[in-house]
Amino acid sequence: MPELTIPMSMTIIDYLGIKRGQKVLDYGCAKGYMVKALRWLGREAYGCDISEYALKTADIEISPYLSKGLPSKKEFHFIISKDVLEHMQIKDIRYLLTNMKTDIFFCIVPLGNGKKYYVPAYELDATHIQRQPLHWWTDLIKSQGWKIRSAVLKVPGIKDNWNYIVDGNAFIVAER
């Protein structure tokens, strides 16, 4: 849905200060909608995902910029992971954090108390396995050698529909 993805992508560009010519990886890109939007907005964007179905059904215009798994040869100025880490085992999150070729990592994750999400609708996704509070996420990221630049509960223009739930989501920027 371009009417949602393009404004959100522009918000991410502004929030992170992504300049034209900088390489961006959307980790967990699914069909590459954000990659397409970032490219339309003049950024050198790529995506990766583990779903062969998503990658095979991506728009033909964007599919050359998508790959399966974490690209090992390219370095990126920014790696973005929106609504992905909550689907991953802790060992896989650690592997990702250790093996990313970037200096800036931006993740968006739903928050919970360890047992339940603060946004009840997030419980409807059976593939969600991490229901952790903000400090858990920042501690995990720091334990893998990152410094937290910011960790906030709201970024206007991203996931605004959940702003009425104070602890619903985390927006974490980490740097090496």
Side-chain angles (χ1 to χ4, degrees), residues 24-29 46-51 55 66-76 78-81 84-85 88 92-102 105 146 176:
V24 180
L25 177 68
D26 179 5
Y27 181 83
C29 69
Y46 301 86
C48 66
D49 204 282
I50 62 166
S51 170
L55 296 170
L66 307 180
S67 65
K68 185 164 183 187
L70 188 63
S72 60
K73 296 192 167 103
K74 264 193 184 117
E75 290 195 21
F76 298 92
F78 299 88
I79 294 182
I80 298 166
S81 183
V84 174
L85 301 183
M88 297 171 62
D92 297 324
I93 299 169
R94 285 191 177 117
Y95 178 85
L96 172 68
L97 291 167
T98 302
N99 291 285
M100 283 191 267
K101 294 189 176 179
T102 188
F105 176 56
W146 293 83
R176 290 202 200 262

Side-chain angles (χ1 to χ4, degrees), residues 14-15 41 44 46 78 80 84-86 90-91 95 109-110 114 127 130 134 139 143 148-149 156 171 176:
D14 290 342
Y15 187 70
L41 294 166
E44 189 177 340
Y46 301 86
F78 299 88
I80 298 166
V84 174
L85 301 183
E86 66 274 14
I90 295 170
K91 68 178 177 57
Y95 178 85
V109 291
T127 65
Q130 302 300 335
L134 178 59
D139 288 349
S143 77
I148 302 300
R149 182 195 292 175
F171 304 83
R176 290 202 200 262

Side-chain angles (χ1 to χ4, degrees), residues 72-166:
S72 60
K73 296 192 167 103
K74 264 193 184 117
E75 290 195 21
F76 298 92
H77 294 97
F78 299 88
I79 294 182
I80 298 166
S81 183
K82 178 187 172 294
D83 298 321
V84 174
L85 301 183
E86 66 274 14
H87 298 271
M88 297 171 62
Q89 297 290 336
I90 295 170
K91 68 178 177 57
D92 297 324
I93 299 169
R94 285 191 177 117
Y95 178 85
L96 172 68
L97 291 167
T98 302
N99 291 285
M100 283 191 267
K101 294 189 176 179
T102 188
D103 289 328
I104 305 289
F105 176 56
F106 176 52
C107 65
I108 301 168
V109 291
L111 298 175
N113 63 11
K115 295 179 183 176
K116 289 193 172 243
Y117 286 113
Y118 298 130
V119 175
Y122 292 156
E123 294 296 338
L124 300 175
D125 187 335
T127 65
H128 283 172
I129 57 175
Q130 302 300 335
R131 293 166 170 80
Q132 304 299 336
L134 178 59
H135 69 84
W136 185 92
W137 287 106
T138 57
D139 288 349
L140 177 62
I141 294 167
K142 287 189 290 190
S143 77
Q144 301 308 301
W146 293 83
K147 192 171 90 178
I148 302 300
R149 182 195 292 175
S150 66
V152 298
L153 300 174
K154 290 181 187 168
V155 173
I158 307 173
K159 299 183 86 124
D160 290 337
N161 56 320
W162 300 117
N163 279 349
Y164 70 95
I165 299 175
V166 177

